[in-house]
């Protein structure tokens, strides 16, 4: 496939080819990994292909950014050293001291910590609200218009579904920007820019990389002015993804569609089985018809993803025991890898939210369903649950 041909429409094809044309010098099907910090110049300020220093630009990172932009339907995308670095660059691109940020009341603990502590010291006001409730959203906006509204959908870890289009309409009517954290869904299942979001953020550590061997983040936008502001922050603050990290993430993108299909199918089966288990008081998974956001998720997403949470009838003691009692499901933070993970958010990923409006229920266990055989996954979970009855 030559670069001069228009990019093909199919997601699976673009994930493999955009930004990844064979090397023109050698014909290598996989483009080279550019492990370099600097570049020879053909004279003072006479750059070859625009490269002078790898903080400012690197061909491997550029390839990843092109691929992410294509998959999210964005004009431009920017790759960073972590998901929080991506969030920080976006926030510094749009916020000024005195601004207000509205965050959903169910969100990643690291996002809450960044806004409630780091940015508070720089004069940013943080408010939280249930963004599934139009009246709660309208009340915050009426009190004082936020500069930015930050949405997760599905949320982490309660798997709540937020209507992106409705929040985008409310945000834009008030003059606010809408940011959607699309980490749980990925662009294969959901494209927030198509529903009216102004920016999409990712922890590319998760499903993009997909193999639990790389840390990274990304922001995708359409507005040229916002893109220029992000490019300035990326270069000026320098929290860029390293070339090898970008290369690993590019490799992960090639199988993203296949993996998300398997993650989703396995999670749907597990959610259905666990919903009938006596030790489980509630299964939080948007693919279940019992989920309050099921119909919205079915409209907004291609499938329902590989993340689910469960609440234990036995309370926090049982939740901890389940998290510590599995074998195939590894007790660990993070998510989105080929291997299954399990964790206790109250004391792990969301510990920083304790005592706040984002505090996670202490009877909750979050499960990242991998792509192993689903019967093996079910046996591991049901065995751990059975041990609670002893």
């Amino acid at each position: 496939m030559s670069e001069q041909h228009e990019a093909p429409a199919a997601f699976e094809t673009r994930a493999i080819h955009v930004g990844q044309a064979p090397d023109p010098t050698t014909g290598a099907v996989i483009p080279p990994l550019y492990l370099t910090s600097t570049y020879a110049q053909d004279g003072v300020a006479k750059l070859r292909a625009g490269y002078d220093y790898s903080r400012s630009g690197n061909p491997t990172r550029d390839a990843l950014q092109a691929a992410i932009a294509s998959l999210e339907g964005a004009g431009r995308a920017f790759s960073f050293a972590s998901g929080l670095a991506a969030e920080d660059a976006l926030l510094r691109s749009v916020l000024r001291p005195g601004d207000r940020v509205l965050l959903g009341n169910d969100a990643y603990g690291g996002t809450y910590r960044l806004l409630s502590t780091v940015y508070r010291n720089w004069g940013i006001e943080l408010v939280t609200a249930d963004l599934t409730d139009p009246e709660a959203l309208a009340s915050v906006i009426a009190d004082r218009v936020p500069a930015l509204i930050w949405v997760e959908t599905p949320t982490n870890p309660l798997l709540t579904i937020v209507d992106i289009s409705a929040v985008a309409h409310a945000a834009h009517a008030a003059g606010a920007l809408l940011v959607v954290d699309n980490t749980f869904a990925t662009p294969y299942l959901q494209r927030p820019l198509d529903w009216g979001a102004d920016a999409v953020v990712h922890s590319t550590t998760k499903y993009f990389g997909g193999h639990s061997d790389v840390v990274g983040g990304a922001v995708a936008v359409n507005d040229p002015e916002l893109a220029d502001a992000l490019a300035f922050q990326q270069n000026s603050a320098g929290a860029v993804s390293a070339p090898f990290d970008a290369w690993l993430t590019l490799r992960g993108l090639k199988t993203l569609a296949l993996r998300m299909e398997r993650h989703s199918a396995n999670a749907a089966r597990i959610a259905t089985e666990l919903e009938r288990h006596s030790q489980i008081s509630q299964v939080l998974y948007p693919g279940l018809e019992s989920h309050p956001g099921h119909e919205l998720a079915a409209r907004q997403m291609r499938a329902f993803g590989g993340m689910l949470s469960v609440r234990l009838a036995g309370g926090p003691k049982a939740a901890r025991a389940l998290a510590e009692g599995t074998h195939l499901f590894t007790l660990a933070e993070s998510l989105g890898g080929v291997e299954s993970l399990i964790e206790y958010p109250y004391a792990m990923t969301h510990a920083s939210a304790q005592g706040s409006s984002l505090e996670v229920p202490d009877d909750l266990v979050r499960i990242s369903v991998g792509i192993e055989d689903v019967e093996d996954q079910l046996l591991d979970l049901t065995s751990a649950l059975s041990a609670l009855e002893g």
Side-chain angles (χ1 to χ4, degrees):
M1 179 180 301
S2 62
E3 286 192 321
Q4 59 262 37
H5 290 176
E6 185 176 347
F11 182 99
E12 295 87 341
T13 307
R14 286 182 286 116
I16 294 171
H17 291 287
V18 171
Q20 300 170 75
D23 177 45
T25 301
T26 66
V29 171
I30 302 301
L33 167 58
Y34 289 88
L35 290 174
T36 185
S37 60
T38 191
Y39 305 82
Q41 300 187 18
D42 296 324
V44 175
K46 293 182 180 179
L47 310 182
R48 299 182 193 177
Y51 294 106
D52 59 356
Y53 189 65
S54 269
R55 186 194 67 247
S56 304
N58 177 280
T60 309
R61 188 169 79 242
D62 288 348
L64 174 60
Q65 293 176 160
I68 293 173
S70 176
L71 298 181
E72 279 289 2
R76 293 172 71 183
F78 302 88
S79 178
F80 295 89
S82 70
L84 282 170
E87 293 185 10
D88 182 54
L90 176 59
L91 292 168
R92 283 187 283 109
S93 295
V94 299
L95 296 179
R96 299 295 178 266
D99 283 345
R100 166 182 274 196
V101 174
L102 170 57
L103 176 68
N105 64 351
D106 176 27
Y108 170 50
T111 301
Y112 174 76
R113 181 179 59 232
L114 179 64
L115 286 165
S116 65
T117 58
V118 177
Y119 275 84
R120 178 170 292 172
N121 291 335
W122 295 95
I124 301 301
E125 179 190 9
L126 174 64
V127 293
T128 62
D130 179 0
L131 297 181
T132 68
D133 181 352
E135 292 185 1
L137 175 60
S139 176
V140 172
I141 292 175
D143 175 60
R144 182 187 171 205
V145 176
L148 185 150
I149 299 175
W150 192 285
V151 165
E152 290 182 13
T153 184
T155 61
N156 180 7
L158 299 182
L159 281 300
T160 302
I161 302 299
V162 178
D163 189 330
I164 299 172
S165 180
V167 177
H169 178 77
H172 297 156
L177 293 177
L178 173 62
V179 176
V180 175
D181 184 334
N182 202 31
T183 298
F184 270 25
T186 81
Y188 181 68
L189 301 184
Q190 172 179 275
R191 297 212 314 183
L193 296 176
D194 292 348
W195 296 94
D198 297 290
V200 178
V201 299
H202 284 276
S203 171
T204 58
T205 307
K206 312 305 193 292
Y207 288 107
F208 276 25
H211 294 77
S212 302
D213 56 8
V214 62
V215 173
V219 183
V221 300
N222 272 324
D223 180 72
E225 186 175 345
L226 179 53
D228 287 344
L230 278 162
F232 177 81
Q233 290 291 341
Q234 185 188 50
N235 182 50
S236 299
V240 297
S241 52
F244 187 56
D245 293 346
W247 187 90
L248 284 172
T249 307
L250 267 173
R251 185 183 64 170
L253 285 179
K254 294 175 187 290
T255 59
L256 178 61
L258 289 172
R259 287 185 285 105
M260 293 311 297
E261 291 284 355
R262 181 62 173 264
H263 286 300
S264 297
N266 285 3
R269 171 77 187 285
I270 290 170
T272 300
E273 295 294 331
L274 293 186
E275 196 173 34
R276 297 193 287 261
H277 201 285
S278 62
Q279 295 290 326
I280 302 295
S281 62
Q282 185 181 18
V283 178
L284 304 173
Y285 183 68
L288 295 173
E289 291 186 4
S290 60
H291 191 286
H294 175 71
E295 291 185 4
L296 174 59
R299 293 197 306 269
Q300 202 165 257
M301 302 173 68
R302 184 197 300 249
F304 302 105
M307 298 299 300
L308 62 92
S309 292
V310 295
R311 300 186 72 171
L312 276 293
K317 182 179 179 180
R320 284 178 177 265
L322 173 60
E324 294 174 346
T326 56
H327 300 283
L328 178 64
F329 284 78
T330 301
L331 177 61
E333 298 191 5
S334 198
L335 57 102
V338 293
E339 66 289 305
S340 293
L341 302 178
I342 193 168
E343 65 118 358
Y344 182 59
Y346 181 82
M348 294 174 67
T349 54
H350 291 68
S352 62
Q354 289 183 18
S356 76
S357 60
L358 276 73
E359 182 171 289
V360 174
D362 60 6
D363 61 355
L364 186 90
V365 171
R366 191 188 74 180
I367 300 172
S368 174
V369 180
I371 64 172
E372 304 97 340
D373 181 82
V374 70
E375 298 301 333
D376 289 336
Q377 294 172 334
L378 280 168
L379 178 61
D380 187 46
L381 289 169
T382 55
S383 296
L385 286 167
S386 296
L388 303 181
E389 299 172 359

